[in-house]
Amino acid sequence: MTIIAIQNRLIVDRASLLPMPSIRRSRPPVPPPEPMVTATIHRQPVSVATDAQSTVCEMWRGSKAELPPSFAGDLAAAGLLRHCSFLSAERDGPLVFRRIADATVRALGTEWARQQLGKPNEDDPHSEYALQISDQYAEAIEGGEPVHNLVVLHGLPSPIVYSHMLIGWTSPEGQKALLSCVSCPSI
Amino acid sequence: MSDLDLMFTPLRKSQIRISAPNRLHCDPDRDNLALIMSMAAYVRDALAGVSGRELARRRALLRDSIAAAHEAGMLSTIADPLIDEMMSAVDGAAAERQFSAATDAFAQDKTDLPIHPTPIQVAAGLEAGARSRKAAARIWQAMAGALAGSAR
């Protein structure tokens, strides 16, 4: 290599440089395919719900089964919002994720949660699981009464057991909303 | 109560008991304005998103004013279907706004999500030598945090 200094500047003779070894870029790793996640759902009496789930039910009864604009703030003030997922739908539209409970993020991962926020429940890559849960959501919304289930998720590296209290609303104009208060002590 | 206050106060049934002598004291301009004002207040409050209880109070006041106007002979029953239709439309709009406000309050930003690996990522961490699931999750979280930091 020839280096010439002229007026305090270094000039490198490129031709004399050693050839740089070529860097072979490896392909980015292919993410593993999403597992087929299914659920076994066991209906539970509301009376055996966790404290957080029972408190959410009491708040729902306190609001006379309506969905006041203050409901999210009341849940946050009671420290319950992080336990809750929330989906809403315009009239005749699909239920869309607006909020995802911390426990659900722990179970299915931040990336899953990030891609699901703002998307319909049916677009979940764990489609089999999403369809099974959709039926429960519909029952809570149309029945107008809280639905309490024990759910076992299969298809993950290890089964996950959790419970959810589902509370649904329908506005006079046909909009729908669903709150799922999740309890998952194992994760 | 000043005349101005009286003008803007919705009429109540109890305020108007029409009898022959009293009819002489009826002021059509004032009473019509009171009815219009109570109707306007109801529409304004409904669209402003007041609570359901407050809106119910406004609705009751408006109904009272309408009934009083009927009793005073100032409002024909021909107007009833139109008024009912208007109130129904306003109630619907108010309910829709309330519901939308309630659902918007739940909205979560993607950046507010807690950072957690998927079960598959935890399993990969265990395979790579992490001593426990918690350790694998902590390693993943640290790496995700570092990557997020370097991406800024």
Side-chain angles (χ1 to χ4, degrees), chain A residues 170-183:
Chain A
T170 305
S171 79
E173 299 300 297
Q175 299 154 298
K176 292 173 182 171
L178 184 110
L179 184 82
S180 171
C181 183
V182 179
S183 171

Side-chain angles (χ1 to χ4, degrees), chain A residues 1-114:
Chain A
M1 180 164 62
T2 309
I3 302 175
I4 307 164
I6 301 174
Q7 291 180 345
N8 296 330
R9 292 172 65 192
L10 291 178
I11 296 172
V12 179
D13 175 11
R14 285 172 178 272
S16 64
L17 286 172
L18 288 172
M20 287 291 286
S22 63
I23 300 170
R24 181 173 292 170
R25 293 188 183 278
S26 60
R27 288 182 182 175
V30 179
E34 287 293 341
M36 170 69 86
V37 178
T38 57
T40 312
I41 300 168
H42 306 273
R43 181 59 47 89
Q44 303 290 304
V46 171
S47 57
V48 300
T50 63
D51 288 349
Q53 291 167 339
S54 298
T55 306
V56 170
C57 275
E58 282 166 22
M59 291 170 72
W60 171 75
R61 287 196 186 92
S63 65
K64 294 179 181 170
E66 287 186 2
L67 180 58
S70 61
F71 204 73
D74 294 343
L75 286 171
L80 297 171
L81 195 56
R82 65 193 177 87
H83 297 296
C84 297
S85 289
F86 187 83
L87 300 95
S88 65
E90 295 301 316
R91 185 166 56 183
D92 300 328
L95 278 174
V96 171
F97 278 102
R98 305 296 298 268
R99 168 169 290 277
I100 298 176
D102 282 7
T104 308
V105 178
R106 282 200 300 274
L108 299 175
T110 305
E111 277 312 304
W112 172 86
R114 196 168 286 147

Side-chain angles (χ1 to χ4, degrees), chain A residues 35 67-69 72 75 81 86 88 98-100 102 105-110 113-114 117 157 171-173 175-177 179, chain B residues 53 92-93 95-96 98-110 113-121 123 133 140:
Chain A
L67 180 58
L75 286 171
L81 195 56
F86 187 83
S88 65
R98 305 296 298 268
R99 168 169 290 277
I100 298 176
D102 282 7
V105 178
R106 282 200 300 274
L108 299 175
T110 305
R114 196 168 286 147
L117 273 181
S171 79
E173 299 300 297
Q175 299 154 298
K176 292 173 182 171
L179 184 82
Chain B
R53 186 176 298 176
E96 196 171 338
Q98 290 267 330
F99 206 83
S100 295
T103 57
D104 288 348
F106 275 95
Q108 181 178 31
D109 195 275
K110 290 184 181 186
L113 287 166
I115 296 175
H116 286 290
T118 63
I120 290 176
Q121 287 163 332
R133 297 181 65 80
W140 188 93

